[in-house]
Amino acid sequence: MSGIENLDLQSIVADIHRDLTPRLGEGKVADYIPQLARVDPQSFGIAIVGVDGQVYKAGDAEVPFSIQSISKVFTLTLALGKHGENIWKRVGREPSGSAFNSIVQLEHEHGVPRNPFINAGAIAITDLVLAGHTPREAIGEIVRFIRYLADDEDIVIDHEVAKSEAATGYRNFALANFMRSFGKLDHPVELVLGTYFHQCALSMTCVQLAKAGLFLAASGTNPLSHHSVVTSQRARRINALMLTCGHYDGSGDFAYRVGLPGKSGVGGGILCVAPGKASVAVWSPGLNHNGNSLLGSRALEMLASRTGWSVFGA
Ligand code: DON
């Protein structure tokens, strides 16, 4: 069956799955959040949702996994909706060149994190989402927003994952305490992190995730549900941040190899946007040394080369 621009996208995803099958299990599954280490390292899923609404999938595309840092794209979108451009007083828009959980730049930059996708930046964004709410209300709002984006009421939080991270999230407590000491968090650390750990523990399938990201491929409106999410300018800007910062200190390499905006999570997922064409989600739990899915990145590199979808030219 043909897809966008007469590409046979179903064959392309099936071929990518088949070509990567001998490599399943490569990379290192995240274990600093104990509950994440329980996942099957051989899992692999890929789903493409075209702006025309067609869905193409292969492998474990309907198996839920922990989206972790991919949630940062959705909370950024929510925070921009609530506070507009004022959020940039609290977080920058530059690549960090450091690990996702690094604390080194925070002191130099007086508690203002480099971008909304490193942990410190995402914690600052969650603090903004929390404004005027209890953590329970804010978590409810985040879940409702993601269900609205994906047009799917079945999306839930895995509370075991949230609990597991709360029990072992020493780094995030350090980052949040550091920011609070600079006066850069409005709410107590426990409340901000309680909310943050729950947003990271959202459990979604590749199909649900690709649908949730579709507004970014379609100028801010989900063409399937017709839900209007953001203006086209805001969608473009979120994509720009995903391209430059979405893979931490691996962002340059991801842009070089794939050439598309993408956001990774330590659960092994990546949400990738081909503007004007499709939203893509891949999942393979084994990570590379930057904490990004090893085979997920490879799958997207294969997809970009087989479709000519790189934003830098075919
Ligand atoms: O805060 C953490 O460490 C995790 N909840 C999320 C980190 C993450 O997904 C980094 N991405 N590759």
Side-chain angles (χ1 to χ4, degrees):
M1 197 209 303
S2 288
I4 294 145
E5 293 157 359
N6 293 322
L7 290 163
D8 188 348
L9 291 170
Q10 186 52 46
S11 295
I12 291 177
V13 290
D15 288 352
I16 290 171
H17 179 218
R18 188 202 54 222
D19 294 350
L20 289 177
T21 295
R23 297 183 56 185
L24 296 185
E26 280 186 28
K28 190 176 178 311
V29 174
D31 56 7
Y32 74 98
I33 301 171
Q35 196 67 16
L36 290 185
R38 298 164 62 102
V39 74
D40 177 1
Q42 302 276 331
S43 309
F44 179 89
I46 181 165
I48 300 178
V49 182
V51 293
D52 58 2
Q54 294 292 318
V55 179
Y56 310 90
K57 57 188 176 180
D60 303 315
E62 304 268 15
V63 178
F65 63 91
S66 192
I67 70 166
Q68 291 298 318
S69 286
I70 303 169
S71 66
K72 296 169 181 175
V73 175
F74 306 128
T75 46
L76 170 65
T77 307
L78 200 52
L80 278 166
K82 284 170 173 282
H83 304 278
E85 299 291 309
N86 286 325
I87 72 162
W88 304 118
K89 293 178 189 148
R90 298 282 294 275
V91 58
R93 298 196 293 266
E94 295 297 341
S96 69
S98 305
F100 65 89
N101 54 7
S102 173
I103 202 166
V104 290
Q105 282 161 349
L106 264 187
E107 178 154 30
H108 287 298
E109 296 171 2
H110 308 286
V112 178
R114 273 284 169 101
N115 68 64
F117 294 149
I118 52 173
N119 284 9
I123 291 166
I125 293 292
T126 300
D127 184 54
L128 290 170
V129 171
L130 200 46
H133 290 303
T134 64
R136 182 183 288 273
E137 288 165 353
I139 293 163
E141 184 177 20
I142 293 166
V143 174
R144 277 195 302 280
F145 183 59
I146 291 172
R147 288 177 177 169
Y148 172 78
L149 293 180
D151 197 23
D152 189 330
E153 292 298 312
D154 293 338
I155 295 166
V156 291
I157 288 173
D158 183 333
H159 291 277
E160 290 305 312
V161 172
K163 225 192 290 169
S164 179
E165 184 166 11
T168 55
Y170 312 113
R171 282 276 189 139
N172 285 325
F173 278 100
L175 293 170
N177 276 306
F178 210 62
M179 284 191 281
R180 181 94 162 147
S181 79
F182 278 110
K184 299 295 183 193
L185 285 186
D186 295 333
H187 303 90
V189 165
E190 298 70 33
L191 304 191
V192 182
L193 288 183
T195 310
Y196 171 79
F197 293 145
H198 281 82
Q199 82 181 48
C200 289
L202 273 150
S203 191
M204 293 171 74
T205 69
C206 287
V207 173
Q208 289 172 328
L209 193 54
K211 285 185 178 170
L214 194 56
F215 75 98
L216 292 170
S219 307
T221 297
N222 180 327
L224 270 179
S225 63
H226 304 290
H227 289 163
S228 166
V229 183
V230 292
T231 62
S232 56
Q233 181 196 56
R234 189 160 283 172
R236 255 195 327 273
R237 288 175 163 179
I238 295 169
N239 287 337
L241 290 163
M242 289 171 73
L243 184 89
T244 51
C245 311
H247 283 73
Y248 315 107
D249 42 346
S251 298
D253 189 55
F254 188 82
Y256 180 86
R257 297 203 287 129
V258 180
L260 292 170
K263 180 74 210 79
S264 66
V266 286
I270 303 176
L271 171 64
C272 196
V273 179
K277 299 189 167 59
S279 170
V280 186
V282 291
W283 172 50
S284 171
L287 307 179
N288 64 19
H289 64 281
N290 296 129
N292 302 316
S293 175
L294 182 75
L295 294 185
S297 312
R298 180 67 194 127
L300 291 168
E301 186 177 4
M302 292 159 90
L303 179 71
S305 110
R306 292 174 195 191
T307 55
W309 282 352
S310 164
V311 296
F312 300 108

